[in-house]
């Protein structure tokens, strides 16, 4: 199979090849890293901030069940009298859900 080089007219024709160089690296070069390989010294302030962040997140997760979900709070508790109207309303909610409205 023979290929023609790209002739620079902004359109690749059949058989033409456009090669684009791309640099891939597994890690950042040593001159731009923030610390040397090995152990990183963490101060007491950093350690305390990390602990506070973890505890705050744990607290939020453990308390999340106590608040009702806004979408579920608006749902009716009785079955609808008009099933077709309820189905159409559901379809409209699904169609418009991406807009962020109910």
């Amino acid at each position: 199979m023979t290929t023609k080089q790209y002739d620079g007219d902004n359109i690749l024709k059949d058989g033409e090849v456009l090669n684009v160089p791309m640099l891939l690296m597994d890690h950042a070069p040593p001159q731009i890293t923030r610390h040397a390989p090995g152990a990183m010294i963490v101060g007491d302030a950093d350690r305390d901030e990390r602990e506070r962040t973890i505890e705050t997140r744990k607290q939020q997760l453990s308390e999340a069940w106590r608040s009702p979900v806004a979408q579920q709070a608006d749902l009716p508790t009785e079955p609808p009298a008009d099933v077709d109207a309820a189905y159409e309303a559901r379809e409209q909610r699904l169609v418009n859900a991406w807009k962020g409205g109910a």
Side-chain angles (χ1 to χ4, degrees), residues 11-100:
I11 299 173
L12 287 175
K13 296 174 185 63
D14 287 342
E16 288 183 336
V17 176
L18 175 64
N19 290 322
V20 179
M22 182 169 49
L23 176 64
L24 298 175
M25 298 187 303
D26 289 338
H27 67 281
Q31 61 268 26
I32 65 170
T33 58
R34 294 180 56 195
H35 63 83
M40 184 172 161
I41 299 172
V42 178
D44 289 339
D46 295 328
R47 191 174 292 114
D48 292 342
E49 179 64 28
R50 180 178 177 269
E51 288 298 319
R52 276 195 301 277
T53 303
I54 290 172
E55 287 304 316
T56 301
R57 180 66 177 150
K58 283 182 183 179
Q59 187 68 26
Q60 289 173 346
L61 290 173
S62 65
E63 300 287 328
W65 66 273
R66 296 177 193 261
S67 300
V69 177
Q71 292 175 349
Q72 291 179 353
D74 298 337
L75 296 177
T77 56
E78 297 289 322
D82 185 7
V83 175
D84 292 330
Y87 181 78
E88 184 60 33
R90 175 186 175 274
E91 285 296 309
Q92 287 305 311
R93 274 196 321 270
L94 292 175
V95 166
N96 295 322
W98 67 274
K99 296 177 184 176

